Amino acid sequence: QKEVEQDPGPLSVPEGAIVSLNCTYSNSAFQYFMWYRQYSRKGPELLMYTYSSGNKEDGRFTAQVDKSSKYISLFIRDSQPSDSATYLCAMKGQGGSEKLVFGKGTKLTVNP
Amino acid sequence: GAVVSQHPSRVICKSGTSVKIECRSLDFQATTMFWYRQFPKQSLMLMATSNEGSKATYEQGVEKDKFLINHASLTLSTLTVTSAHPEDSSFYICSASRLSINYNSPLHFGNGTRLTVT
């Protein structure tokens, strides 16, 4: 079993839809959870950064972490064509030597 | 917010030549930077951890003599692909965080360098 599992998609939705992106993980030591958005031929852009369990909201984006289920989610409300990108989940344990572990990324297309 | 700048964004070189990629943290000091490689439709693969003033730490399977890393200052790390071959063609991305302040700060990424070796 891989440390981080993420459905690669592709996921296609109409403009205005609510998008749900998810990752599961196996390492209970993970404490910090991130979502990155990557446009084609660009580096990943940090969207959300959360610590431990709970929800975090930033504009149209909501990140949820359920450590008991080892499951994290990113919700995008009122999706826009400009949200079309690959979304990568990433996570790490406590401490500076802990490496960031990425999911494979989910390719999202929002159709106008 | 934190910004990481990476240059060049694209480079095409002939087989056997060397290519240098620069990664700069623009508004913070980064004692540690990371170099990743990404293949099409794949996630990021950590190649090495670049430490300011000391040798880089390479991941298993990454040739340190082929991928030379120099972290000469708190804002600059360079990756040199030596004697490049077509199989080195890939998307290389650097990242940095304010690890000197908070070990758990999130990573910020450069925009990547698309290397094509002909």
Side-chain angles (χ1 to χ4, degrees), chain B residues 5-26:
Chain B
S5 175
Q6 187 174 342
H7 293 282
S9 57
R10 295 186 67 180
V11 58
I12 300 172
C13 70
K14 292 187 176 181
S15 187
T17 61
S18 295
V19 174
K20 181 185 283 188
I21 303 169
E22 290 189 350
C23 180
R24 296 180 184 272
S25 57
L26 296 184

Side-chain angles (χ1 to χ4, degrees), chain A residues 34-48 85-90 100 102-105, chain B residues 2-6 34-38 42-45 91-96 106-114:
Chain A
M34 285 142 270
W35 284 96
Y36 288 88
R37 176 175 62 195
Q38 186 175 24
Y39 291 113
S40 182
R41 302 176 188 273
K42 297 290 185 182
E45 171 193 7
L46 180 67
L47 280 178
M48 301 292 278
T86 295
Y87 290 80
L88 296 147
C89 64
L100 199 59
F102 284 89
K104 279 197 167 183
Chain B
V3 177
V4 176
S5 175
Q6 187 174 342
F34 302 88
W35 287 95
Y36 290 84
R37 184 173 179 175
Q38 188 176 33
Q42 297 291 318
S43 190
L44 285 77
M45 182 190 78
F91 193 51
Y92 293 88
I93 314 174
C94 71
S95 69
L107 283 182
H108 295 273
F109 288 85
N111 260 331
T113 297
R114 172 80 51 193

